[in-house]
Amino acid sequence: MASLNTLVLVCLAYVALLFAVAFAADRLAAAGRSTWLRSPLIYTLSLSIYCTAWTFYGAVGYAARSGLEFVTIYLGPTLVMVGWWWGLRKLVRVGRSQRVTSIADLISSRYGKSNALAICVTLLAVTGVTPYIALQLQSITLSFSIFAEADPGSIHNETTSVFWVAAGLAVFAILFGTRNLDANERHHGVVTAVAIEAVVKLVALLGVGIFVVWGVAGGIGPMMARIDASDIGTWGVDRGRWATITFLAAAAFVCLPRMFQVMVVENDDERHLRTAAWAFPLYLLLMSLFVVPIAVVGLSLMPEGSNPDLFVLTIPLALGQEGLAMLSFLGGFSSATSMVIVAAMALSTMVSNHIVMPIWLRSRGGGLSVSGDVRSVVLMARRVSIAVIMCFGYAYYILSGGGAALASIGLIAFAGIAQILPALVGGLFWRGATRLGALAGLIVGFGLWVYTLLLPGIGGGVMSPGMLESGPFGIGWLRPQALFGIDGLDPMVHSVLWSMSLNAAAFCIVSLLDFPSPLERLQGAQFVNVFDHSAGPRGWTASVAQSEDLMIMSQRIMGAAEAQEFFHAEALAQGSRRALPDPTPAFLERLERKLSGSVGAAAAHAMISQIVGRSSVSVEDLFAVADESAQLLEYSSQLEEKSAELSRTAGKLREANDKLTQISLQKDAFLSQVSHELRTPMTSIRAFSEILRDTEGMKPEDQRRYATIIHDEATRLTRLLDDLLDLSVLESGQVTLNMSEGNLEDLLDRSVAAALTGADRALRVRRDAAAERILLRSDLDRLGQVFINLIANAQKYCDARDPVLTIRVHDAGGQLVVDFIDNGSGVPEDFHKMLFEKFARVGAEKVRGAGLGLAICREIMQRLGGDVSYLAGQDGGAFRVSLPTRHEMAAQ
Amino acid sequence: MSDHPEPEDGPRQSPPVFLERQGYRRRRLMDAARLIPILGGTLFAVPLLWPAGPGEGGDAPVPMSSAILYIFGVWAALILVAVLFGRASLRWSGPDGSGGEGAGGGRG
């Protein structure tokens, strides 16, 4: 039988080994030769601090009491790990990109670096974890006492041994957890020691399990038969508890400060998650594989009334396997110590960063230039915090009497820590989550948890039986374990149901009603869309910042050498030859991240803002950014407009070019036409004048006839030349208008008479005399010229058998409009554009004029301030003359 | 643009609507990865349907050995699936681990 002294010796030797390993790992990491320290294997093993002494010893006891329900504690984390792609990957990425130091830091950082939230989470964590630490102390003491009972010669005092265990663990945590104040905040020594302990506890439990199955029961088959025949031989799990505890374990796995510490803060490489995603569930599976067999064998072997929580230890002892018992003891010892060390470290970081440092900063006021080393203050705060937390655990253990009440505290702690979950998940996935929402959710959840689970659960008369029975002040629906009159639920299920649902509801409702600050919204975007932009927030404008002040402050926090190195590197990166870098926003941001690794995001933000003057992320800045984007948008739309304008211009140019080409062709045609037109009368004039000159004895009537022909042809020539002259005068703008007043009806009468005199074909003219009784002021002769031309055109070109010209007068949009519409076939569409150009003519063979009439009309009308245009879409040819109405008088 | 969060990268391109075959496979693999915990949760919830204890109904309670076999079987299968997915994701993310991030994971 191993004596207690041997046990203590082995224990001390084991602790010494851990010290050595942690020390060596820290040295290796400092020397930069730590590749294997950063392997996924170490990461996975470090996650195993999830399995505390409560699970190492307690799982067997749990199984002996309620069958397979113990497995839910491991199923929750398994589901979280295999779903790493969904949640953990994002959590780790956020943790790394924001350099968070704890779960409180993460929550505070997400919700606008709010210190109130950080304090809230820290208090919640301390309240939840302190009893948990006491539980570890209890398990170590209990395992000691088992050996002490077996060794009659020893003097074992429970209280003393608990004290020494607590003190030893505190020393270890202080030595390795607060050695450095890295920006990374990674503790290779501790992590490596934890990994070794993980191996020890797995080997120990597997060893006991294998011994039980093959050594005691005689193989798998007989073991299974024995299980079925035992007290826990049938499936008899409370359904509500099964689901609730699975959920709780999953939530606690993410939210527990120590889990967050190893999973996110100590994470070296995001890719380690990929391995841990299957390796850690495998570890959990192996840890729980032999739990039921050990419980069953323990129940049948051990005497009635022995503590099932210690079967792992007592079975080997009872069967004389002292080596195995020793290994098993070391396994339990490892579970307890690793949990306590990491939990104390994580909690101390939270306490020092979110409670001690802000108070210290505030007490100093703006006096950061007062001499003193912030670095030592932070480290001291952490060391004291660790000691205080261990004292809390010790005190809790002593006060609670270390009895069975402690055993249930594990799940109670889980339920408390899980209250962080809504704020955490909401913060990672919902941009609308706000600080007030998170605060409300946390307070509601925390309050309900304390009221419905913690106070009734810890016993010790904190809550009187009367209150449990009939509610406070006799109000029945406020009974702690039957809120709102819902009775009959398992207390755990009841508490988790109400606290989590009301927590989430408060979180959502307040978030929906609240309006977050700019910094909060910025951080929210950074967290939720972390994969889109892993670059950090630009938090500072540096115009007021003083590099020297920053340097002084950083030296105090990071240590002189490291700060100088950092500043020098930054100066080099900026291309500056001076020792101090310019305080650019990028530099300030990196500095804040680096500092936040030491003192937490909120404190780092506060410290820099003390020196820099203000956080630059104000509403004005957001507006500025928005303005900038708006300007960009405007610029691009201007560009678009310009390009559209260019293409429009190009189209017009193309059109003009086509027109020019066409006009040039027309001109060529005209030249030949004009030569022809001039030549035809000239030829007949010449011919007839030669006849008159050369013919002797011509009859007088022939002479007269020939002379008439010569006269007519000469008149035609004159008219042609008159037209050309007229046009050139009109075009050059030298025409003088002879404005006079007259009646439109009279003008039209005269025009129709003039145009149709001597016409070879009859043209009926339809008019509306009433509409024409309009007094107008214009150059009536010129206007009459236009009318005559249009009427004559209709007379000449209308190809209907019974040609009719309709003249309509009406007022259109403030203009007097006179339409001339005939019933012929009209002008082919190709010619619409060219109709009013000089020398244009439709159907050359029919034409008697030179194609100048319409051109002259348009020139005249433009001089008169109106226009003449072709009206497409009528039954026949149609022209519209429009006149300005400013000279128009009311109808008679 | 001096205050823009990512002046080095310039304006961010919006992701394309259609992916190439390989990229498409990768996305579906991510979808599958997201389904693993749901699948696991469902399978672990199956025991809730078993008759619990002798008091309930006339059905004989499930023996503990069967329950153990079921739970641990599902557990091992989940681990296997996680291993396979880890392998697959390792293949397409490359040594720098930067592949497959971005739009796909950000909205997870």
Side-chain angles (χ1 to χ4, degrees), chain A residues 248-269:
Chain A
L248 265 191
F253 181 68
V254 182
C255 297
L256 275 171
R258 65 171 196 278
M259 290 315 298
F260 192 88
Q261 178 81 24
V262 288
M263 195 155 56
V264 179
V265 181
E266 306 280 354
N267 178 289
D268 262 321
D269 189 334

Short mmCIF file of all heavy atoms in Angstrom, two decimals, chain A residues 248-269:
data_model
loop_
_atom_site.label_atom_id
_atom_site.label_comp_id
_atom_site.label_asym_id
_atom_site.label_seq_id
_atom_site.Cartn_x
_atom_site.Cartn_y
_atom_site.Cartn_z
N LEU A 248 -26.46 23.20 -22.87
CA LEU A 248 -25.65 23.93 -21.91
C LEU A 248 -24.17 23.65 -22.11
O LEU A 248 -23.34 24.57 -22.08
CB LEU A 248 -26.01 23.49 -20.49
CG LEU A 248 -27.03 24.32 -19.73
CD1 LEU A 248 -27.04 23.88 -18.28
CD2 LEU A 248 -26.68 25.80 -19.84
N ALA A 249 -23.85 22.39 -22.33
CA ALA A 249 -22.44 22.04 -22.49
C ALA A 249 -21.88 22.69 -23.74
O ALA A 249 -20.75 23.20 -23.74
CB ALA A 249 -22.28 20.52 -22.57
N ALA A 250 -22.68 22.72 -24.81
CA ALA A 250 -22.22 23.36 -26.04
C ALA A 250 -21.99 24.84 -25.79
O ALA A 250 -20.97 25.41 -26.21
CB ALA A 250 -23.25 23.17 -27.16
N ALA A 251 -22.94 25.49 -25.09
CA ALA A 251 -22.81 26.93 -24.82
C ALA A 251 -21.61 27.20 -23.92
O ALA A 251 -20.80 28.09 -24.20
CB ALA A 251 -24.09 27.45 -24.17
N ALA A 252 -21.48 26.40 -22.87
CA ALA A 252 -20.39 26.64 -21.92
C ALA A 252 -19.04 26.41 -22.57
O ALA A 252 -18.06 27.09 -22.28
CB ALA A 252 -20.55 25.74 -20.70
N PHE A 253 -19.00 25.44 -23.49
CA PHE A 253 -17.74 25.13 -24.17
C PHE A 253 -17.19 26.37 -24.87
O PHE A 253 -15.98 26.59 -24.91
CB PHE A 253 -17.99 24.01 -25.20
CG PHE A 253 -16.77 23.60 -25.95
CD1 PHE A 253 -15.73 22.96 -25.31
CD2 PHE A 253 -16.66 23.85 -27.31
CE1 PHE A 253 -14.60 22.57 -26.00
CE2 PHE A 253 -15.53 23.46 -28.00
CZ PHE A 253 -14.51 22.82 -27.35
N VAL A 254 -18.09 27.19 -25.40
CA VAL A 254 -17.64 28.41 -26.10
C VAL A 254 -17.43 29.56 -25.12
O VAL A 254 -16.52 30.36 -25.29
CB VAL A 254 -18.69 28.81 -27.16
CG1 VAL A 254 -18.23 30.03 -27.91
CG2 VAL A 254 -18.93 27.67 -28.12
N CYS A 255 -18.30 29.63 -24.09
CA CYS A 255 -18.30 30.82 -23.24
C CYS A 255 -17.39 30.74 -22.02
O CYS A 255 -17.06 31.77 -21.44
CB CYS A 255 -19.72 31.12 -22.77
SG CYS A 255 -20.84 31.50 -24.10
N LEU A 256 -17.05 29.55 -21.59
CA LEU A 256 -16.21 29.44 -20.38
C LEU A 256 -14.92 30.22 -20.59
O LEU A 256 -14.25 30.07 -21.61
CB LEU A 256 -15.87 27.98 -20.10
CG LEU A 256 -16.91 27.18 -19.31
CD1 LEU A 256 -16.52 25.72 -19.30
CD2 LEU A 256 -17.02 27.71 -17.89
N PRO A 257 -14.54 31.06 -19.62
CA PRO A 257 -13.33 31.86 -19.80
C PRO A 257 -12.09 31.01 -20.09
O PRO A 257 -11.26 31.38 -20.92
CB PRO A 257 -13.19 32.57 -18.45
CG PRO A 257 -14.55 32.61 -17.88
CD PRO A 257 -15.24 31.38 -18.36
N ARG A 258 -11.96 29.86 -19.44
CA ARG A 258 -10.75 29.08 -19.67
C ARG A 258 -10.76 28.47 -21.06
O ARG A 258 -9.74 28.36 -21.72
CB ARG A 258 -10.60 28.00 -18.59
CG ARG A 258 -11.66 26.93 -18.61
CD ARG A 258 -11.29 25.80 -17.67
NE ARG A 258 -12.07 24.61 -17.91
CZ ARG A 258 -13.31 24.41 -17.45
NH1 ARG A 258 -13.89 25.35 -16.73
NH2 ARG A 258 -13.94 23.29 -17.71
N MET A 259 -11.97 28.07 -21.55
CA MET A 259 -12.04 27.52 -22.89
C MET A 259 -11.73 28.60 -23.92
O MET A 259 -11.03 28.38 -24.89
CB MET A 259 -13.45 26.95 -23.16
CG MET A 259 -13.78 25.71 -22.41
SD MET A 259 -12.47 24.49 -22.42
CE MET A 259 -12.32 24.14 -24.14
N PHE A 260 -12.25 29.79 -23.67
CA PHE A 260 -11.98 30.90 -24.58
C PHE A 260 -10.49 31.19 -24.61
O PHE A 260 -9.90 31.44 -25.66
CB PHE A 260 -12.76 32.14 -24.13
CG PHE A 260 -12.77 33.24 -25.13
CD1 PHE A 260 -13.74 33.29 -26.11
CD2 PHE A 260 -11.80 34.22 -25.11
CE1 PHE A 260 -13.75 34.29 -27.05
CE2 PHE A 260 -11.81 35.22 -26.05
CZ PHE A 260 -12.78 35.27 -27.01
N GLN A 261 -9.87 31.10 -23.42
CA GLN A 261 -8.43 31.34 -23.32
C GLN A 261 -7.64 30.40 -24.23
O GLN A 261 -6.85 30.83 -25.06
CB GLN A 261 -7.99 31.16 -21.86
CG GLN A 261 -6.50 31.34 -21.63
CD GLN A 261 -6.12 32.81 -21.53
OE1 GLN A 261 -6.93 33.65 -21.19
NE2 GLN A 261 -4.87 33.11 -21.87
N VAL A 262 -7.89 29.09 -24.11
CA VAL A 262 -7.07 28.16 -24.91
C VAL A 262 -7.53 28.12 -26.36
O VAL A 262 -6.73 27.93 -27.26
CB VAL A 262 -7.07 26.73 -24.31
CG1 VAL A 262 -6.27 26.69 -23.04
CG2 VAL A 262 -8.46 26.22 -24.11
N MET A 263 -8.82 28.30 -26.58
CA MET A 263 -9.34 28.10 -27.93
C MET A 263 -9.08 29.32 -28.82
O MET A 263 -8.72 29.18 -29.97
CB MET A 263 -10.86 27.86 -27.85
CG MET A 263 -11.45 27.31 -29.11
SD MET A 263 -12.94 26.40 -28.73
CE MET A 263 -13.92 27.61 -27.89
N VAL A 264 -9.26 30.51 -28.28
CA VAL A 264 -9.15 31.72 -29.10
C VAL A 264 -7.87 32.48 -28.81
O VAL A 264 -7.09 32.80 -29.70
CB VAL A 264 -10.37 32.63 -28.88
CG1 VAL A 264 -10.25 33.89 -29.69
CG2 VAL A 264 -11.64 31.89 -29.21
N VAL A 265 -7.63 32.78 -27.53
CA VAL A 265 -6.50 33.65 -27.20
C VAL A 265 -5.17 32.95 -27.48
O VAL A 265 -4.26 33.53 -28.05
CB VAL A 265 -6.58 34.08 -25.72
CG1 VAL A 265 -5.42 34.99 -25.39
CG2 VAL A 265 -7.89 34.78 -25.47
N GLU A 266 -5.07 31.67 -27.09
CA GLU A 266 -3.80 30.97 -27.27
C GLU A 266 -3.68 30.36 -28.66
O GLU A 266 -2.71 29.68 -28.95
CB GLU A 266 -3.66 29.85 -26.23
CG GLU A 266 -3.84 30.30 -24.79
CD GLU A 266 -2.58 30.94 -24.22
OE1 GLU A 266 -1.56 30.93 -24.90
OE2 GLU A 266 -2.66 31.46 -23.10
N ASN A 267 -4.66 30.58 -29.49
CA ASN A 267 -4.61 29.98 -30.83
C ASN A 267 -3.53 30.64 -31.66
O ASN A 267 -3.47 31.86 -31.79
CB ASN A 267 -5.98 30.16 -31.50
CG ASN A 267 -5.99 29.60 -32.90
OD1 ASN A 267 -5.37 30.15 -33.80
ND2 ASN A 267 -6.67 28.50 -33.09
N ASP A 268 -2.65 29.80 -32.21
CA ASP A 268 -1.54 30.32 -33.01
C ASP A 268 -1.92 30.40 -34.47
O ASP A 268 -1.39 31.21 -35.22
CB ASP A 268 -0.33 29.39 -32.88
CG ASP A 268 0.64 29.92 -31.85
OD1 ASP A 268 0.81 31.14 -31.83
OD2 ASP A 268 1.20 29.12 -31.10
N ASP A 269 -2.77 29.51 -34.88
CA ASP A 269 -3.03 29.36 -36.30
C ASP A 269 -4.46 28.85 -36.46
O ASP A 269 -4.83 27.84 -35.89
CB ASP A 269 -2.04 28.34 -36.89
CG ASP A 269 -2.13 28.34 -38.40
OD1 ASP A 269 -3.19 28.68 -38.94
OD2 ASP A 269 -1.12 27.98 -39.04
#
